[in-house]
Amino acid sequence: MAFYLVTRTDAADIGEYDAAIVRASGRRQALELVTKASDEGYALFPGFKADGSNARAEKLTDGRETPHAVLMTSFLG
C-alpha cells in the first residue's frame, strides 16, 4: 500500500472537501475511498462526485530524501 494525495479538479465551496491523503493499494482504490457513500447513502466527503469525475489521485513518495515540508493543508472557511 502507498499514500495518495486525492485532490479536486474543480472549485470547492464552503462545507466541501477539496483534498485528502489516503492509504490505498492503487489510484483507483484511493479515488474510491473519497467518492464512496456511507451505508446511509450520504457522501462521506462532500464535494467529491460519486463517479470520481472531479478528482485525481497522485501517489506520494516516502520523502526520505526531501527536506521537511508541510504535506497538506485544506481550509474552506
Side-chain angles (χ1 to χ4, degrees), residues 3-76:
F3 289 101
Y4 289 85
L5 171 62
V6 182
T7 55
R8 297 261 305 265
T9 58
D10 61 353
D13 204 355
I14 293 173
E16 294 181 339
Y17 289 85
D18 67 343
I21 294 178
V22 300
R23 186 169 178 245
S25 57
R27 283 182 173 83
R28 181 177 45 202
Q29 291 79 12
L31 290 171
E32 287 174 359
L33 287 170
V34 299
T35 59
K36 69 180 179 179
S38 71
D39 291 339
E40 293 80 26
Y42 62 87
L44 293 174
F45 300 98
F48 286 101
K49 293 183 180 178
D51 64 1
S53 63
N54 71 336
R56 67 177 179 181
E58 175 187 354
K59 187 176 182 180
L60 301 175
T61 62
D62 68 6
R64 290 178 219 197
E65 289 83 33
T66 58
H68 295 280
V70 175
L71 244 189
M72 184 182 92
T73 65
S74 179
F75 178 76
L76 299 172

